[in-house]
């Protein structure tokens, strides 16, 4: 089982990035896919999640994330995306994708079974 996150990089404040998470090694159709981030010196925090089937989405309880980030999926490519717009320096973090078989408590990292390696997003001011 492998989750491969990519798409991070250095961007100026106000810019955009699209992160990708390619899933392989098993069937994830019944899983919920999530994105988390961890800034230096901070705990890992939930960003967004989406079901493979149906495409239901959840976002962190933050007006800032909901207004600027969009999670989506491409079932044919087994890939989940996180579109991030109007990026701010406080968005700087390592972004991780993860897969949960539980379908509940999606904001808690311990409810996820598989994790990708993370991709670094750096937003300069």
């Amino acid at each position: 089982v492998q989750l491969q996150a990519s798409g991070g990089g250095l961007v100026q404040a106000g810019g955009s990035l699209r992160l990708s998470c390619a899933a392989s090694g098993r069937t994830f159709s019944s899983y919920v896919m999530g994105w988390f981030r961890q800034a230096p010196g901070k705990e890992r925090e939930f960003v967004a999640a989406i079901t493979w089937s149906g495409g239901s989405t959840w976002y962190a309880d933050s007006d800032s994330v909901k207004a600027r980030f969009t999670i989506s999926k491409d079932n044919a490519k087994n890939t989940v995306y996180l579109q991030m717009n109007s990026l701010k320096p406080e968005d700087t973090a390592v972004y991780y994708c993860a897969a949960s078989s539980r379908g509940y408590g999606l904001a808690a990292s311990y409810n996820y079974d598989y994790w990708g390696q993370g991709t670094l997003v750096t937003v300069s001011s």
Side-chain angles (χ1 to χ4, degrees):
V1 175
Q2 187 174 19
L3 299 178
Q4 184 72 38
S6 61
L10 175 63
V11 63
Q12 289 188 334
S16 298
L17 282 175
R18 189 179 76 158
L19 306 183
S20 300
C21 176
S24 62
R26 68 160 296 139
T27 300
F28 285 96
S29 58
S30 62
Y31 279 65
V32 178
M33 303 298 294
W35 284 99
F36 285 75
R37 66 184 181 183
Q38 188 166 17
K42 295 188 177 181
E43 294 187 352
R44 192 169 297 189
E45 65 174 359
F46 172 74
V47 177
I50 188 169
T51 57
W52 276 117
S53 60
S56 298
T57 58
W58 296 264
Y59 291 90
D61 190 17
S62 162
D63 290 339
S64 178
V65 167
K66 293 176 183 177
R68 299 182 297 119
F69 292 6
T70 303
I71 190 171
S72 63
K73 62 185 177 66
D74 185 331
N75 288 46
K77 295 182 179 180
N78 277 351
T79 300
V80 174
Y81 303 99
L82 185 68
Q83 177 68 43
M84 305 185 295
N85 298 327
S86 301
L87 284 162
K88 304 175 181 180
E90 51 263 42
D91 294 318
T92 294
V94 177
Y95 284 71
Y96 298 90
C97 62
S100 172
S101 62
R102 293 164 179 78
Y104 60 82
L106 298 175
S109 60
Y110 54 77
N111 282 324
Y112 288 77
D113 307 280
Y114 303 104
W115 289 85
Q117 84 289 1
T119 185
L120 177 63
V121 173
T122 304
V123 184
S124 63
S125 56

